[in-house]
Amino acid sequence: MSVFPQLSTNPEVREHLRNVYTNNELVCECGADEADLVFEALLCCLSHPPLFTCLRASTHLHSLQDIQLRLQQHLAQQERSPSVYTHPQLPDVLLLPVHGPRPVDPLASEVIVGAQCGNAVLRGAHVFTPGILSTPKYMKVGEVVSVFSDVEGKCTRGAKEFKGKKVFLGNGISEVDRSEIFSSDGPGKGVAIRMTEPLYQSPSFDGVLTDQLFLQNLPSVVVGHVLGPRPGERILDMCAAPGGKTTHIASLMGNQGTVVALEKIRSKMEKIIQNAKMLQLDCIKAYCCNSVHAVSSDPAQCSADGPPYPEESFDRILLDAPCSGLGQRPNMSYSWSLKEVCSYQPLQRKLFTTAVRLLKRGGVLVYSTCTVTLAENEEQVAWALKTFPCLTLEPQVPLLGSEGMSGAGLSHDQRRLLQRFRPELAWRGAGVPHSPESLLQNANADTIGFFIAKFIKR
């Protein structure tokens, strides 16, 4: 059900996306009217949260059933008793339904938050002080307020009211005075508004069972299973921060073998180390490195302890590539220019070339993005197959998403080997689930937008 405006982008980006979703191949398959309707559904669904909150369980430490029970007990202590489902096809995933939109009426006192903060609130977060842009002039601790998202980024920090375009997110109770939020020392870091009546109800998981659960989008969990890591292997995660996929790979290996995680920003690399320690995974080795330069054919430059590595050093490689991020949900406003959106394809190809050089013969390379463009997904696959004759596409297990999109010149058989999560298709044929069974059937469909391709090096 659509309650928010469509994803807001600049006109050039919108037209670029429209051209992707109404390309000639697609129009020939489904007709121009249907292609337009699917595109409109895409813009609608991207501004709303997915149907489920997905939690990956640390099954290398505890059974899924034990973790499920502990989570249910924790939620009961919060005086909340949402259902906690196991995923029918993924043995390490717990699902919590996101309830919404709920019948919540806005109040006179308004707090305005930035778009990024607003997106987090829709996924179950409370409002933290740095995310607040505007509050009533005399807001005090304990005041009940309505929270709105500034979707166009036009609210001035410290304002006492805002008349621009805003979207209602729910009601909450202030835990700080206005003066603490906009003090001369800068904003604090704690919770400022505790959400008591969110428009979309989902439990907050800040600090909850941190060694047993990892908050992760469902397609991101699927990537680890598609890669298929085995105990004792040497595996590379090329763009690894914040470490969700890295730690999942290590968990699937039973913490046996080596997972090398590369990240070019040191603070993000340190976050990978922190997550590995928290999840008790000591087979992970993280390095601060630009993965484009992670390979060398000169033995004198290579080290046994870190990058660069000799060619054919890894059994499996995950390239979860930097991308335009147009599949992320919820997202009501996308501020990037068309030039920025189109800037990722060359970088992705440099990283892919490095990955092919580092992969052993017979090894597996998985390429993934969290965007919806053809240029960063199917077109990259077509380029890779043409550029590297040693690569062939492989079937994916599990296969929970749709096949690849038309428009990049791939054959139907090739597209069937790809996996694209397309929430717009679930929205295009949206019905209201009435039972747990029908609800779970939508778990694989109503996700973020995501793409996965699996190659083997012959």
Side-chain angles (χ1 to χ4, degrees):
M1 177 182 177
S2 181
V3 295
F4 301 136
Q6 291 183 343
L7 170 70
S8 172
T9 69
N10 71 49
E12 283 186 328
V13 171
R14 183 186 176 97
E15 188 60 25
H16 176 72
L17 283 176
R18 180 181 290 280
N19 290 338
V20 169
Y21 277 78
T22 58
N23 71 72
N24 291 337
E25 282 188 57
L26 272 175
V27 168
C28 287
E29 287 178 7
C30 65
D33 290 343
E34 178 63 18
D36 273 327
L37 288 171
V38 170
F39 172 66
E40 295 297 322
L42 172 75
L43 298 182
C44 286
C45 77
L46 288 177
S47 63
H48 295 71
L51 193 61
F52 285 90
T53 295
C54 176
L55 295 165
R56 176 171 58 78
S58 299
T59 50
H60 64 288
L61 296 174
H62 311 278
S63 72
L64 184 65
Q65 290 70 29
D66 285 346
I67 297 173
Q68 180 184 23
L69 178 61
R70 288 170 193 155
L71 177 58
Q72 288 170 330
Q73 290 170 342
H74 172 82
L75 295 173
Q77 290 173 358
Q78 290 186 336
E79 297 184 358
R80 293 181 180 178
S81 299
S83 301
V84 179
Y85 299 107
T86 56
H87 191 282
Q89 292 136 307
L90 298 174
D92 52 2
V93 166
L94 297 174
L95 297 169
L96 284 81
V98 175
H99 298 290
R102 302 162 66 237
V104 182
D105 295 323
L107 308 170
S109 293
E110 297 183 358
V111 169
I112 310 298
V113 302
Q116 187 173 356
C117 177
N119 296 340
V121 169
L122 290 174
R123 296 298 297 260
H126 298 296
V127 177
F128 285 74
T129 304
I132 295 181
L133 301 175
S134 168
T135 74
K137 185 175 182 179
Y138 300 109
M139 187 182 79
K140 298 294 183 184
V141 174
E143 185 173 341
V144 181
V145 297
S146 285
V147 177
F148 290 80
S149 177
D150 169 25
V151 295
E152 293 182 332
K154 294 185 176 180
C155 181
T156 303
R157 180 171 174 79
K160 299 177 179 68
E161 62 177 0
F162 177 61
K163 301 296 184 183
K165 185 177 179 180
K166 57 194 176 187
V167 172
F168 178 57
L169 305 176
N171 300 327
I173 298 175
S174 173
E175 299 209 342
V176 294
D177 296 340
R178 174 187 166 88
S179 60
E180 295 178 55
I181 297 172
F182 303 115
S183 72
S184 57
D185 297 330
K189 296 183 179 180
V191 172
I193 309 293
R194 190 163 296 278
M195 298 300 295
T196 53
E197 290 185 297
L199 196 65
Y200 280 82
Q201 180 97 52
S202 180
S204 173
F205 290 100
D206 187 38
V208 175
L209 302 176
T210 54
D211 64 334
Q212 299 172 48
L213 292 169
F214 198 95
L215 193 62
Q216 200 166 7
N217 287 303
L218 187 137
S220 298
V221 181
V222 172
V223 166
H225 288 284
V226 169
L227 185 65
R230 298 171 184 171
E233 291 184 327
R234 193 170 190 227
I235 297 179
L236 174 63
D237 187 352
M238 293 185 68
C239 305
K245 298 179 185 69
T246 308
T247 54
H248 188 209
I249 292 167
S251 176
L252 291 173
M253 295 167 68
N255 201 27
Q256 299 175 46
T258 302
V259 182
V260 173
L262 302 183
E263 170 54 48
K264 68 177 183 178
I265 299 174
R266 182 162 297 278
S267 60
K268 292 185 176 181
M269 183 272 290
E270 290 169 351
K271 183 66 174 176
I272 298 170
I273 296 172
Q274 179 185 334
N275 282 328
K277 185 176 180 181
M278 181 176 64
L279 296 171
Q280 301 176 46
L281 293 163
D282 56 19
C283 71
I284 294 171
K285 296 182 178 180
Y287 300 96
C288 187
C289 171
N290 181 342
S291 286
V292 170
H293 308 301
V295 65
S296 177
S297 55
D298 181 359
Q301 291 185 352
C302 297
S303 165
D305 296 329
Y309 298 99
E311 294 185 353
E312 300 190 355
S313 289
F314 294 93
D315 299 293
R316 297 173 198 265
I317 296 177
L318 171 61
L319 173 52
D320 185 51
C323 70
S324 57
L326 277 160
Q328 292 290 1
R329 298 174 62 194
N331 189 8
M332 297 185 198
S333 179
Y334 188 85
S335 61
W336 289 6
S337 67
L338 181 59
K339 183 179 179 180
E340 288 172 305
V341 170
C342 296
S343 69
Y344 282 94
Q345 191 185 67
L347 171 60
Q348 291 161 352
R349 292 186 177 183
K350 289 179 182 178
L351 289 164
F352 198 100
T353 300
T354 298
V356 175
R357 292 178 64 190
L358 284 170
L359 187 64
K360 292 179 181 179
R361 297 177 190 181
V364 171
L365 167 59
V366 169
Y367 172 84
S368 63
T369 74
C370 59
T371 195
V372 298
T373 67
L374 281 171
E376 297 171 81
N377 295 326
E378 287 84 358
E379 285 183 19
Q380 297 292 51
V381 171
W383 165 82
L385 294 174
K386 182 179 179 180
T387 306
F388 304 104
C390 60
L391 295 182
T392 57
L393 284 171
E394 285 291 297
Q396 298 185 36
V397 179
L399 186 61
L400 307 184
S402 303
E403 64 183 32
M405 272 179 59
S406 303
L410 295 172
S411 70
H412 185 233
D413 285 344
Q414 288 171 324
R415 287 189 286 110
R416 287 175 62 187
L417 293 171
L418 305 176
Q419 187 161 196
R420 186 188 262 256
F421 288 84
R422 301 187 60 185
E424 70 275 11
L425 299 183
W427 275 61
R428 176 72 185 97
V432 180
H434 294 288
S435 67
E437 291 75 18
S438 58
L439 190 68
L440 283 171
Q441 285 175 2
N442 289 326
N444 299 334
D446 198 331
T447 64
I448 65 168
F450 205 87
F451 177 84
I452 309 172
K454 181 179 181 180
F455 303 87
I456 193 166
K457 185 177 181 179
R458 301 295 182 186

